[in-house]
Amino acid sequence: MLQTVIRMLRSGGEIDFASLVFLFFGYMVLILVLMPVHECAHAFVADRLGDKTPRWNGRLTLNPMAHIDWLGAAMILLFGIGYARPVPVSPRHFKNARRDMALTALAGPVSNLLMAIVSVGIFRVLLLFGGGVENGMLYANSDAQWLYYAYVVLIQVFASVNIGLAVFNLLPIPPLDGYHVAQCLFMNAKTYKFFGFVEKYSYVILVAVLIINSRTHFLNTIVYWLMMPLMNLASLILSIF
């Protein structure tokens, strides 16, 4: 949330009390919805592929209390990137350990992208009742101030953070999901030492990536370029109906 406020101030936008309230509301929805859905997606796919470990540990649920790590939740509020309690998985229960582990790891980021698509779709529907798009710019009718707050919650918070977390989680750095996917796809006798090096210095690499992103905003750029196709896709779907 703090990062979003700073970004809005830098862009020259004004932030009133109502905007802050809706911004806080959006991030609380993220913590209570996004994180449980992400972790439950891991648990659901693992369960369907034969590993009942998440079910036995009470993680096959959307109950936020089963998934929230409070330090990770605080990081989402402050920096827009955080984490939940990882879902325990036992690959030995899978029929094809590499394939099924990769699918289980991918389930979380995919759920983030789906939630982003849903939030963008909802906002595009709301535009039909209070605004539209002209020359690539969003506008609200004079009597549709509520549309701005919907934009704050659905686009600036929910969609952008979901996409950001999907992109971040797909980085091939432990303990992120992308590392497990890369491990399943590329780990062999020749790459074993490389993966061992990455695991040994994982947190150093992760901090370095975050510092580089704070200077270059390369993750933010990826989020922006993914947001545009999602907006266009939502418009296309709505035009069909």
Side-chain angles (χ1 to χ4, degrees):
M1 186 174 79
L2 179 62
Q3 192 178 48
T4 303
V5 171
I6 293 173
R7 187 168 64 247
M8 291 170 70
L9 288 173
R10 283 180 175 175
S11 64
E14 296 182 0
I15 303 179
D16 55 20
F17 178 74
S19 297
L20 287 175
V21 170
F22 276 93
L23 195 62
F24 179 77
F25 170 75
Y27 273 90
M28 289 308 298
V29 170
L30 278 178
I31 292 169
L32 297 175
V33 176
L34 178 153
M35 298 169 80
V37 169
H38 179 103
E39 297 303 328
C40 187
H42 288 308
F44 175 78
V45 172
D47 187 76
R48 296 293 294 176
L49 292 174
D51 179 23
K52 305 302 178 185
T53 305
R55 182 186 293 271
W56 296 333
N57 283 272
R59 302 301 297 279
L60 191 61
T61 176
L62 290 174
N63 180 0
M65 296 301 105
H67 303 289
I68 286 178
D69 180 292
W70 293 108
L71 178 58
M75 286 180 64
I76 284 187
L77 281 174
L78 293 174
F79 308 113
I81 293 177
Y83 57 89
R85 292 170 51 212
V87 172
V89 176
S90 299
R92 67 179 183 273
H93 295 140
F94 293 139
K95 292 181 180 179
N96 185 323
R98 285 201 170 203
R99 180 201 65 193
D100 295 347
M101 189 63 208
L103 291 173
T104 300
L106 281 172
V110 168
S111 73
N112 289 127
L113 291 176
L114 290 176
M115 285 188 283
I117 291 171
V118 169
S119 61
V120 169
I122 293 173
F123 182 72
R124 297 299 291 197
V125 170
L126 294 178
L127 275 178
L128 298 176
F129 301 96
V133 179
E134 188 174 296
N135 297 323
M137 299 294 291
L138 298 172
Y139 71 88
N141 297 334
S142 58
D143 59 343
Q145 180 65 24
W146 56 268
L147 192 61
Y148 169 73
Y149 300 121
Y151 176 80
V152 169
V153 173
L154 292 170
I155 304 300
Q156 288 194 319
V157 176
F158 212 77
S160 62
V161 173
N162 263 297
I163 296 173
L165 285 176
V167 172
F168 180 69
N169 266 292
L170 286 173
L171 295 176
I173 307 169
L176 303 178
D177 297 325
Y179 177 75
H180 298 299
V181 176
Q183 200 175 34
C184 293
L185 294 177
F186 304 114
M187 190 170 182
N188 52 45
K190 293 181 179 179
T191 59
Y192 182 79
K193 289 185 178 180
F194 172 77
F195 279 97
F197 172 83
V198 173
E199 287 187 6
K200 184 177 181 180
Y201 297 101
S202 59
Y203 287 99
V204 174
I205 297 171
L206 198 56
V207 170
V209 168
L210 292 175
I211 292 173
I212 293 171
N213 180 63
S214 70
R215 302 295 182 184
T216 64
H217 305 292
F218 73 94
L219 290 177
N220 307 67
T221 302
I222 296 173
V223 170
Y224 173 80
W225 286 109
L226 285 174
M227 184 73 77
M228 294 303 102
L230 286 182
M231 296 287 280
N232 293 332
L233 177 62
S235 296
L236 178 63
I237 293 173
L238 287 175
S239 66
I240 295 173
F241 296 98

